[in-house]
Amino acid sequence: MNRKILMVGEIGHQHLKVFTSYLKQASDYRIYGFDLAPEKSRQQDLDRFYEQHFSFNRCNFRFPLIRAFINYLRCIWAFRRLKKEECIVQFHFISRYTLPLQLISKLKGYKISSFVYGSDYMRSGKIKKYYLSLVFRLSDSIVCDSLHMKKQMINDYPFIKTKTDKLNFGSQIIDCLYEAKQNPEKAREKIHVPSSVKYVVMCGYNASAGQNHKEIIRLIPSFGKDILWIFPMTYNGNGDYIREMENLLRETQCNYRLLTDFIPDSDWTDLITATDIFIHIQISDAFSSSLAEHLLAGNVVINGEWLKYDELEEENIFYLPTSLEKLKFNIHYSIENYASLHALCSSNKEKIRQLKSWKVNIAKWVNYFGKLEKHEKSTF
C-alpha cells in the first residue's frame, strides 16, 4: 500500500525530525517534507529523515515587505506544483503560509491535519485567533498535545469539537533519560561543575523574554555562592536580549553559565541529570518537553502557578507551584528541603514516561493517521 504523509513547516526543526524518525520506524508510511524555512535547514540532514523534500527559492530583496510578498508567492507556486495524489498533509508551526497551502491541499484532494503548538495558540492576539479559525475550518483534523489547550481551543472554536484530538508529542530526551543509568555526580563532572557548588539550578530553557529570566536574576543576590545558575539560551532569542541578560548576571557576581551554543542530546541529558532544581515560570506553555524532562529526571520543579497542565494533575505528578511574589520563598524552600522534595519528585519517572516517551506514544500516532486515511473519528 502506497501510504504517504507530507510534513509542512520548518521540517529541519529537531522536534519534527525526531517525530518523523520514530514514525518511519513504527509504520510503512513514506514521509515527505515541504520546508517553509529552507534557510535554517541542511540538505544532507533532511535526506536522512524524508524520502523527498521540497521547498522554494528564498528572495533576498533588500526591502522587507517586498521580500516577504515575493517569498509568499514563491512558496505558493512551489507547493502548487507538487503532484496531485492521495496523501495526508500535516501542517506544523502555523504561519502566514499555512492558509493558502491548505487551500491548495483541498483542491488536490489531500487530507489535512494541523498540529497546533502552544506558541501557535496560547500567545496569539485577535488577528492570529481569527486566522487560526480559518485554518481550523480547512483542517480535516486538528491535534495538540495538551488537554488544557484542547479545552481552551474548543471553548474558543466550538465547531472544532468533533475533529480535535489530544495526542502526546514525545521527546527523545525522555527516552534517553529513562533508559540511562542516571548518575548526577558523573554528570556534574562532565559539565565541569566546581566542587564548591552544592546546588545546580536551571532557569528556563530558551532565550525568549517570555521565560521571565529577569524575575529570577533579580533574586539571585539573595542566595549564597554555593549555587550554580544555568540559563540555556540556545534558541528563540536575539543577541541584544542575551547580552542584556549576561550583563544583569555579571552584576549579581554569582556563579552562572549562560549557554548560547547548540547543545547535542547527550550533553543536554547530562545537564538535566546534573540539575537539582528547575525554575519554569514562562508566560504561557502548553506542556513543554523541557518541563517533562526535568520531571522525569526527579529534579525539583518550581512551576508558575498560572501554567495549567491537566495531565499532571490527573497523574498526581509532584511539583511546586509558585507565583512571582513567592518565587524567592519557593527557591529557599527547595534548597532547605531538597532531600525530602527530591524523594517525592522521584515518583514522577514512570508517569512522565507514559506521557512523553516517543517509544510509548508513537503507536497512537500511527493509529491516528490510519483513522484519518479512512475518515474515521479518532478517540484519544
Side-chain angles (χ1 to χ4, degrees):
M1 188 175 177
N2 195 17
R3 308 168 79 195
K4 296 181 180 179
I5 299 174
L6 175 66
M7 299 293 182
V8 180
E10 189 181 322
I11 64 171
H13 194 286
Q14 184 66 14
H15 290 325
L16 193 47
K17 289 190 297 185
V18 170
F19 174 39
T20 300
S21 177
Y22 276 94
L23 189 58
K24 285 168 67 177
Q25 292 174 37
S27 72
D28 60 354
Y29 282 109
R30 298 167 65 187
I31 313 296
Y32 296 79
F34 188 86
D35 199 358
L36 299 182
E39 71 282 1
K40 297 181 182 179
S41 303
R42 294 194 313 239
Q43 177 83 15
Q44 187 177 7
D45 196 28
L46 293 180
D47 290 341
R48 294 170 47 215
F49 298 93
Y50 304 95
E51 189 161 323
Q52 281 185 277
H53 49 90
F54 314 92
S55 189
F56 60 99
N57 293 321
R58 283 270 184 183
C59 165
N60 294 316
F61 197 72
R62 62 184 293 186
F63 298 109
L65 286 176
I66 297 174
R67 181 173 67 241
F69 182 66
I70 293 172
N71 284 331
Y72 188 75
L73 294 178
R74 285 185 175 183
C75 176
I76 293 171
W77 179 252
F79 193 82
R80 184 175 173 272
R81 294 180 66 187
L82 297 180
K83 288 182 181 179
K84 184 178 179 180
E85 55 189 327
E86 190 170 341
C87 183
I88 293 172
V89 181
Q90 185 164 70
F91 288 86
H92 288 258
F93 310 111
I94 307 301
S95 71
R96 63 180 178 274
Y97 300 115
T98 304
L99 193 60
L101 300 192
Q102 282 190 328
L103 285 167
I104 295 169
S105 298
K106 279 288 184 189
L107 293 173
K108 288 178 178 286
Y110 298 158
K111 296 178 181 70
I112 300 172
S113 168
S114 295
F115 185 82
V116 186
Y117 294 83
S119 56
D120 292 326
Y121 170 74
M122 301 188 80
R123 299 169 199 170
S124 54
K126 287 185 179 179
I127 295 174
K128 180 73 177 285
K129 287 279 177 72
Y130 176 72
Y131 184 82
L132 282 172
S133 73
L134 301 178
V135 167
F136 292 163
R137 288 189 184 280
L138 285 174
S139 302
D140 296 303
S141 174
I142 300 157
V143 193
C144 66
D145 76 339
S146 161
L147 279 174
H148 183 70
M149 193 169 89
K150 178 185 174 182
K151 291 174 185 176
Q152 283 188 311
M153 285 166 53
I154 291 172
N155 184 60
D156 287 345
Y157 310 102
F159 66 89
I160 71 173
K161 184 176 182 179
T162 59
K163 60 178 180 179
T164 301
D165 292 308
K166 186 266 182 184
L167 277 172
N168 296 327
F169 197 82
S171 161
Q172 190 173 28
I173 300 294
I174 290 288
D175 289 317
C176 292
L177 284 167
Y178 185 83
E179 293 166 8
K181 293 180 179 178
Q182 291 174 252
N183 188 321
E185 292 306 316
K186 284 188 177 179
R188 282 182 169 224
E189 288 176 14
K190 285 183 180 179
I191 67 170
H192 308 294
V193 175
S195 58
S196 59
V197 169
K198 191 171 182 181
Y199 297 103
V200 176
V201 180
M202 190 178 291
C203 308
Y205 58 88
N206 67 39
S208 166
Q211 295 281 322
N212 271 328
H213 298 114
K214 288 183 182 179
E215 295 291 339
I216 302 171
I217 294 172
R218 69 181 182 84
L219 299 176
I220 287 177
S222 306
F223 298 90
K225 300 293 184 182
D226 58 349
I227 298 173
L228 175 62
W229 304 85
I230 297 180
F231 288 80
M233 296 194 180
T234 59
Y235 67 97
N236 269 12
N238 61 67
D240 289 341
Y241 179 78
I242 292 171
R243 281 188 289 274
E244 182 187 0
M245 295 305 103
E246 177 98 59
N247 290 334
L248 290 174
L249 283 164
R250 250 192 233 111
E251 289 173 9
T252 68
Q253 298 183 338
C254 69
N255 294 319
Y256 75 90
R257 287 191 193 162
L258 195 153
L259 310 175
T260 57
D261 294 333
F262 171 75
I263 304 173
D265 285 354
S266 58
D267 293 346
W268 184 247
T269 302
D270 288 333
L271 273 169
I272 292 172
T273 303
T275 297
D276 299 300
I277 298 167
F278 176 54
I279 302 175
H280 183 249
I281 56 167
Q282 63 175 321
I283 294 169
S284 63
D285 181 45
F287 184 9
S288 69
S289 294
S290 294
L291 171 62
E293 289 154 13
H294 284 278
L295 287 168
L296 182 131
N299 298 337
V300 177
V301 172
I302 301 174
N303 192 66
E305 64 184 11
W306 57 91
L307 302 172
K308 304 298 181 183
Y309 307 103
D310 293 358
E311 299 89 343
L312 301 187
E313 302 306 319
E314 286 183 5
E315 296 296 330
N316 199 28
I317 291 170
F318 179 80
Y319 62 90
L320 286 177
T322 187
S323 63
L324 291 179
E325 293 74 22
K326 292 185 177 179
L327 179 58
K328 179 180 174 182
F329 169 82
N330 279 308
I331 298 173
H332 272 296
Y333 180 79
S334 300
I335 291 170
E336 291 167 2
N337 300 277
Y338 178 76
S340 58
L341 291 173
H342 178 62
L344 288 170
C345 294
S346 297
S347 65
N348 292 333
K349 187 172 183 176
E350 187 58 43
K351 298 172 185 176
I352 290 293
R353 179 175 181 258
Q354 293 300 315
L355 288 173
K356 280 293 186 177
S357 162
W358 269 129
K359 292 185 177 181
V360 171
N361 287 285
I362 195 62
K364 296 175 184 177
W365 280 93
V366 175
N367 190 24
Y368 162 78
F369 285 121
K371 287 180 177 290
L372 185 56
E373 280 184 308
K374 299 173 186 176
H375 294 283
E376 293 179 7
K377 173 77 176 70
S378 296
T379 55
F380 300 109

